[in-house]
């Protein structure tokens, strides 16, 4: 499935997922998605909330037409259940809507976007709109989506260890993936260890610290340690970060509309960081970039960031 130069990770579902994915949280032009396929990307990440499912579906259709890929199975598509649909009875209709928008019969991976439920009529984020989520009921419906063949693998996103433990108490299927923020500035050491014990693959969003995003930080891309290592190895800072993530057994989601950077971001598999370089990166001070205060409310289920993130703030 993956291009020759991108290795795959085997998920606990038995499915294979390319170790680098192309993210669409910032809507890319159709031409960038086609360029990504030409360059060798085979894993594409979208979500109901991003409003990019139709666009991604169009790009897969166009790639098939142009012979860039021979069949649907050559691409790995991830999408996510939005918080307004985080209820047992709303999961399957939401998944079917996602498939309709993508123009596909199944997604390769379907994730619960947040361990959060919002009122059905909520627009955007507002702590006042958060209501208690029944993780057991939502996960049961996710499992049903898998059984029906609508999602080859199922998982979660932004779940801490306590919430994962709660889900696992009743789960018949262990989540295949936990997609979380991870970068040298937020290395998720404890959570990665927990997921490893449970056989859950960790996937990193915003590996570059959401550089140049309105909510992001330049602290990762401007870090002097990373610049020093990049210069010594004649690589870009982004390549150093992505290689560091890969060496931790984690897959990464990248986004760039620049062809050269898109190429660089998947050229990280024929060289490695040595122990000394990895250790230096592991010493970088830790701070979470997206704290998600928007889900915190005195009247809601999460009254503090500690509650939302299971104490890992």
């Amino acid at each position: 499935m993956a291009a020759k130069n991108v290795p795959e990770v085997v998920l606990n579902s038995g499915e294979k997922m390319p170790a680098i994915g192309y993210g669409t949280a910032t809507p890319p032009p159709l031409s960038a998605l086609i360029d990504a396929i030409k360059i060798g990307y085979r894993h594409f990440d979208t979500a109901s909330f991003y409003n990019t499912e139709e666009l991604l579906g169009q790009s897969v259709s166009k790639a098939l037409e142009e012979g860039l890929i021979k069949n649907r199975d050559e691409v790995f598509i991830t999408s996510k259940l939005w918080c307004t649909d985080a209820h047992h009875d709303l999961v399957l209709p939401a998944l079917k809507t996602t498939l309709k928008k993508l123009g596909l019969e199944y997604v390769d991976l379907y994730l619960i976007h947040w361990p959060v439920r919002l009122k059905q009529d909520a627009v955007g984020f507002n702590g006042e709109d958060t209501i208690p989520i029944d993780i057991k009921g939502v996960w049961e419906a996710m499992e049903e989506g898998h059984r029906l063949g609508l999602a080859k693998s199922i998982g979660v996103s932004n779940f801490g260890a306590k919430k994962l433990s709660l889900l696992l108490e009743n789960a018949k299927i262990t989540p295949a993936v936990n997609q979380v923020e991870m970068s040298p500035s937020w290395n998720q050491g404890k959570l990665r260890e927990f997921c490893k014990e449970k056989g859950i693959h960790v996937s990193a969003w915003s590996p570059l610290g959401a550089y140049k995003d309105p909510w992001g930080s330049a602290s990762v891309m401007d870090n002097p340690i990373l610049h020093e290592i990049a210069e010594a190895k004649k690589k870009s800072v982004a390549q150093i970060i992505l290689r560091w993530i890969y060496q931790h057994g984690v897959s990464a989601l990248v986004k760039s509309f620049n062809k050269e950077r898109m190429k660089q971001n998947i050229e990280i598999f024929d060289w490695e960081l040595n122990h000394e370089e990895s250790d230096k990166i592991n010493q970088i001070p830790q701070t979470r970039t997206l704290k998600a205060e928007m889900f915190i409310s005195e009247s809601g289920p999460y009254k503090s960031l500690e509650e939302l993130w299971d104490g890992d703030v």
Side-chain angles (χ1 to χ4, degrees):
M1 182 200 294
K4 282 175 191 167
N5 54 344
V6 180
E8 294 170 317
V9 295
V10 181
L11 303 176
N12 63 22
S13 58
E15 299 296 328
K16 292 176 180 176
M17 180 175 87
I20 290 267
Y22 188 90
T24 63
T26 302
L30 182 63
S31 59
L33 286 167
I34 296 300
D35 284 341
I37 292 169
K38 285 178 181 169
I39 287 164
Y41 288 86
R42 291 294 179 269
H43 176 189
F44 293 87
D45 180 273
T46 182
S48 167
F49 185 69
Y50 301 163
N51 288 321
T52 52
E53 291 171 325
E54 285 177 68
L55 178 69
L56 182 52
Q58 287 164 16
S59 72
V60 172
S61 183
K62 197 169 190 317
L64 284 163
E65 273 171 38
E66 292 182 14
L68 300 174
I69 53 174
K70 291 186 177 66
N71 55 58
R72 153 70 180 99
D73 292 351
E74 285 182 42
V75 286
F76 188 103
I77 306 292
T78 298
S79 194
K80 308 179 195 83
L81 175 83
W82 185 236
C83 305
T84 47
D85 294 316
H87 180 271
H88 179 277
D89 297 347
L90 302 175
V91 173
L92 281 179
L95 175 49
K96 287 172 181 172
T97 299
T98 278
L99 293 174
K100 194 175 175 187
K101 285 182 177 176
L102 285 163
L104 300 175
E105 289 178 9
Y106 66 88
V107 284
D108 296 274
L109 178 63
Y110 195 52
L111 306 175
I112 301 173
H113 205 148
W114 286 89
V116 171
R117 186 180 172 203
L118 291 170
K119 292 173 187 169
Q120 262 189 279
D121 57 354
V123 178
F125 306 106
N126 183 348
E128 303 303 310
D129 288 330
T130 56
I131 49 180
I133 181 172
D134 168 19
I135 287 178
K136 177 177 179 276
V138 173
W139 190 249
E140 274 175 4
M142 294 285 286
E143 291 177 330
E144 184 60 17
H146 171 70
R147 274 191 292 274
L148 291 169
L150 305 178
K152 288 200 170 183
S153 301
I154 51 175
V156 297
S157 182
N158 304 304
F159 271 56
K162 282 182 195 167
K163 290 178 187 63
L164 273 172
S165 296
L166 184 68
L167 184 155
L168 289 167
E169 277 175 23
N170 300 288
K172 292 183 177 71
I173 300 170
T174 298
V177 169
N178 186 13
Q179 190 188 106
V180 294
E181 178 186 343
M182 180 179 160
S183 75
S185 285
W186 190 247
N187 63 35
Q188 294 281 14
K190 283 187 285 187
L191 185 59
R192 278 190 287 113
E193 203 52 48
F194 177 87
C195 288
K196 193 177 178 181
E197 279 171 28
K198 304 295 181 188
I200 301 167
H201 176 75
V202 174
S203 190
W205 58 257
S206 291
L208 312 183
Y211 188 58
K212 292 188 175 171
D213 276 348
W215 57 271
S217 161
S219 67
V220 179
M221 290 295 283
D222 290 350
N223 187 281
I225 292 170
L226 296 171
H227 277 267
E228 187 187 305
I229 296 170
E231 209 169 300
K233 292 191 96 68
K234 296 186 168 45
K235 301 290 178 189
S236 71
V237 172
Q239 284 176 315
I240 298 298
I241 293 165
L242 294 170
R243 178 69 206 189
W244 171 81
I245 284 173
Y246 178 67
Q247 285 185 208
H248 277 295
V250 174
S251 57
L253 298 166
V254 294
K255 62 172 194 283
S256 175
F257 305 156
N258 176 292
K259 263 184 177 173
E260 194 48 47
R261 284 199 291 273
M262 284 159 75
K263 279 181 194 158
Q264 287 175 1
N265 288 343
I266 58 170
E267 289 171 349
I268 62 161
F269 301 109
D270 57 354
W271 54 275
E272 58 185 37
L273 296 164
N274 62 35
H275 286 304
E276 191 190 343
E277 290 160 342
S278 288
D279 285 346
K280 277 185 184 173
I281 297 171
N282 291 340
Q283 301 310 312
I284 290 173
Q286 298 294 292
T287 179
R288 193 187 283 278
T289 305
L290 182 66
K291 293 186 171 53
E293 290 102 336
M294 65 271 195
F295 295 133
I296 307 305
S297 165
E298 273 307 311
S299 60
Y302 300 127
K303 293 170 176 57
S304 68
L305 288 173
E306 280 76 12
E307 285 181 11
L308 176 65
W309 295 116
D310 297 343
D312 195 8
V313 293

